[in-house]
Amino acid sequence: MPVLTRLIPSPVVVDIRPGALDDLGAVLADERISHSGRLAVAVSGGSGSKLRERVTPSLPGATWYEVGGGTLDDAIRLAGEIKAGHYDAVVGLGGGKIIDCAKFAAARVGLPLVAVPTNLAHDGLCSPVATLDNDAGRGSYGVPNPIAVLIDLDVVREAPARFVRSGIGDAVSNISAIADWELSHRVTGEKIDGLAAAMARQAGEAVLRHPGGIGENDFLQVLAEALVLSGIAMSVSGDSRPSSGACHEINHAFDLLFPRRAASHGEQCGLGAAFAMYLRGAHEESMYMADVLRRHGLPVLPEEIGFTVDEFVRVVEFAPETRPGRYTILEHLDLKTHQIKDFYVDYVKAIGS
């Protein structure tokens, strides 16, 4: 009987440890990603630029490109500049905006991308998606997975704590997203990719159940691994379904309705996940999730990120419009304004204010 398998789109190298950045050049050479050392390195004027002096000795053949921001224009401009050279790969060194610009530019010129994030703010560091601001607001663009991901735990620990907290919220929200996927499967017949679901769920559970804190290497290791696994899960499924449900619809609604007041991606996703778990009747899970988020300093109530109850109700009501065709607990319940308010009152009582 033939043995049937499938190839899983994933990085050739995932190196997560203290001091990983110092070995960047050696790792790329050993893994045959860049024998010549000719690399196009995209950095920001912030965290990535500050590390340039440290990394330059190990990348003597690299050309450095400073990226102004996280817009589609920035990414297209970067691609044009890189196209003029002859490189083995593109390295994105910095935060999420730089990584996404580098992803898009690498895909546009047909080069592999090496992701070297300087914080753990969300699962985009290893996802097949580049999120970039454009004239219409913000767009998501399909790109290949990074060929390598190097995460230096010493570097990410030095980043502002809010970035780690954001990553926690994004990872934990996987649990709610998978519950939405399973709901859609039962109600609409949507197919579930079991491998992608298992990877995303276990990534979220690993962060949720870990007893450590944001300043500990053991916890940062688990969080970094969870974010990488979430990105790979999206590649396996071919879309963002394993990590995006009602939690992310609520996040997108915050961004669209209140673009100048929105909190971080992970803060909004974590809050959205805890509330979505309550909506589906998983009250104990919602309470536990809220407790863990609070322990790490993340918000579980809209007031904690500067929004009134009425504004949050408006966000939840608008959220399904952000992902047409996606079925979550929000579409399933099809709540009216007064029903959302009632659920919110009960949610607050359940988790404790």
Side-chain angles (χ1 to χ4, degrees):
M1 178 177 291
V3 177
L4 301 179
T5 62
R6 63 171 169 172
L7 297 176
I8 299 175
S10 63
V12 173
V13 180
V14 176
D15 189 2
I16 305 172
R17 58 185 169 85
L21 187 62
D22 295 325
D23 298 327
L24 175 59
V27 169
L28 297 185
D30 291 346
E31 297 297 333
R32 302 181 181 180
I33 295 171
S34 177
H35 275 306
S36 70
R38 288 191 56 79
L39 299 163
V41 186
V43 293
S44 69
S47 57
S49 180
K50 293 176 182 177
L51 292 169
R52 178 173 175 173
E53 183 177 344
R54 172 178 166 184
V55 177
T56 295
S58 67
L59 302 177
T63 302
W64 295 78
Y65 296 91
E66 189 166 312
V67 180
T71 70
L72 180 59
D73 288 342
D74 290 325
I76 292 173
R77 188 179 305 110
L78 175 63
E81 293 172 349
I82 290 173
K83 190 176 182 179
H86 299 280
Y87 302 109
D88 298 325
V90 178
V91 178
L93 173 62
K97 290 182 178 180
I98 301 306
I99 299 292
D100 281 348
C101 274
K103 279 186 191 177
F104 184 95
R108 194 173 177 92
V109 300
L111 289 174
L113 185 278
V114 178
V116 187
T118 54
N119 64 60
L120 300 177
H122 55 76
D123 58 21
L125 56 91
C126 191
S127 73
V129 176
T131 302
L132 301 167
D133 293 330
N134 56 41
D135 292 339
R138 180 167 294 175
S140 296
Y141 304 88
V143 294
N145 262 81
I147 196 171
V149 179
L150 277 78
I151 302 176
D152 191 323
L153 297 182
D154 291 334
V155 172
V156 299
R157 193 175 59 247
E158 292 173 2
R162 67 178 185 276
F163 290 126
V164 178
R165 293 191 176 104
S166 180
I168 294 168
D170 204 15
V172 166
S173 74
N174 284 5
I175 299 166
S176 176
I178 295 301
D180 281 324
W181 205 2
E182 292 170 340
L183 171 65
S184 182
H185 174 69
R186 293 193 301 271
V187 177
T188 73
E190 180 183 356
K191 184 179 179 180
I192 293 179
D193 188 306
L195 177 59
M199 294 171 73
R201 191 199 318 270
Q202 292 308 309
E205 290 285 352
V207 174
L208 185 71
R209 309 292 173 181
H210 197 286
I214 62 175
E216 302 171 22
N217 271 358
D218 286 348
F219 179 77
L220 291 176
Q221 180 92 32
V222 169
L223 175 59
E225 290 171 353
L227 296 175
V228 169
L229 280 175
S230 297
I232 296 174
M234 287 185 265
S235 292
V236 169
S237 70
D239 58 20
S240 62
R241 197 50 153 138
S243 298
S244 177
C247 48
H248 278 63
E249 289 182 333
I250 290 172
N251 165 68
H252 295 313
F254 270 120
D255 289 342
L256 290 171
L257 294 176
F258 306 102
R260 297 185 178 181
R261 294 172 53 198
S264 75
H265 174 87
E267 286 178 326
Q268 293 172 173
C269 287
L271 167 58
F275 185 64
M277 294 299 287
Y278 190 84
L279 289 178
R280 64 175 51 92
H283 296 171
E284 290 186 7
E285 292 90 339
S286 175
M287 292 165 61
Y288 181 75
M289 185 178 290
D291 285 344
V292 171
L293 292 173
R294 276 179 168 154
R295 177 168 66 83
H296 289 299
L298 278 93
V300 293
L301 297 172
E303 298 96 314
E304 295 166 354
I305 50 175
F307 292 94
T308 66
V309 174
D310 286 342
E311 288 173 332
F312 181 65
V313 170
R314 183 183 169 198
V315 162
V316 175
E317 193 170 23
F318 178 75
E321 297 183 36
T322 68
R323 281 289 183 269
R326 180 153 291 182
Y327 195 85
T328 77
I329 190 63
L330 298 179
E331 288 79 5
H332 183 69
L333 295 177
D334 191 22
L335 299 171
K336 307 305 178 188
T337 304
H338 70 279
Q339 294 173 308
I340 299 172
K341 288 182 177 180
D342 290 343
F343 267 114
Y344 180 75
V345 170
D346 293 339
Y347 166 76
V348 173
K349 291 178 180 177
I351 67 169
S353 57

